[in-house]
Amino acid sequence: MRILLCILLISSFSWAQEAKPAPPSAEETSAKSATLTIPAGTRVPVSLRQPISTKTAREGDAVYANTSFPFVLNERVLVPAGTYVQGRISSVKRGGRIHG
């Protein structure tokens, strides 16, 4: 019985060594390192780091935020959660008063 167990164990080790996956080809390696671009118009949820007020905001002021969730495209994380984002205020419209 021990001999049978030893033969079975040795054969399973040799089978496991033969089942190694092939090394990645040049095409797979280049595909992994290819540059990915976020499509135009894609919405990435962010949280503001400071409040913005129409009273004090001026055109060209910097706005700071960080991403709320990771942005994933083709099963790859392009923008991790918590990444800082900087933008600029392009136009400001003062708040109006409600009449009536």
Side-chain angles (χ1 to χ4, degrees), residues 70-92:
F71 185 80
V72 179
L73 184 67
N74 296 337
E75 298 180 12
R76 289 184 62 189
V77 177
L78 296 183
V79 182
T83 302
Y84 286 98
V85 179
Q86 180 181 357
R88 297 253 175 235
I89 295 177
S90 59
S91 68
V92 178

Side-chain angles (χ1 to χ4, degrees), residues 7 10 13 15 23 44 46 51 68 77 80 97:
I7 292 173
I10 291 172
F13 284 140
W15 178 77
V44 179
V46 296
S68 304
V77 177
R97 296 181 184 249

Side-chain angles (χ1 to χ4, degrees), residues 11-60:
S11 65
S12 66
F13 284 140
S14 65
W15 178 77
Q17 289 178 352
E18 292 174 10
K20 287 184 181 178
S25 66
E27 292 176 355
E28 292 174 350
T29 306
S30 66
K32 287 182 181 178
S33 64
T35 302
L36 295 176
T37 305
I38 297 174
T42 302
R43 294 180 183 221
V44 179
V46 296
S47 301
L48 289 173
R49 302 298 298 160
Q50 82 275 356
I52 300 173
S53 170
T54 56
K55 278 186 172 182
T56 58
R58 302 281 180 251
E59 207 170 299

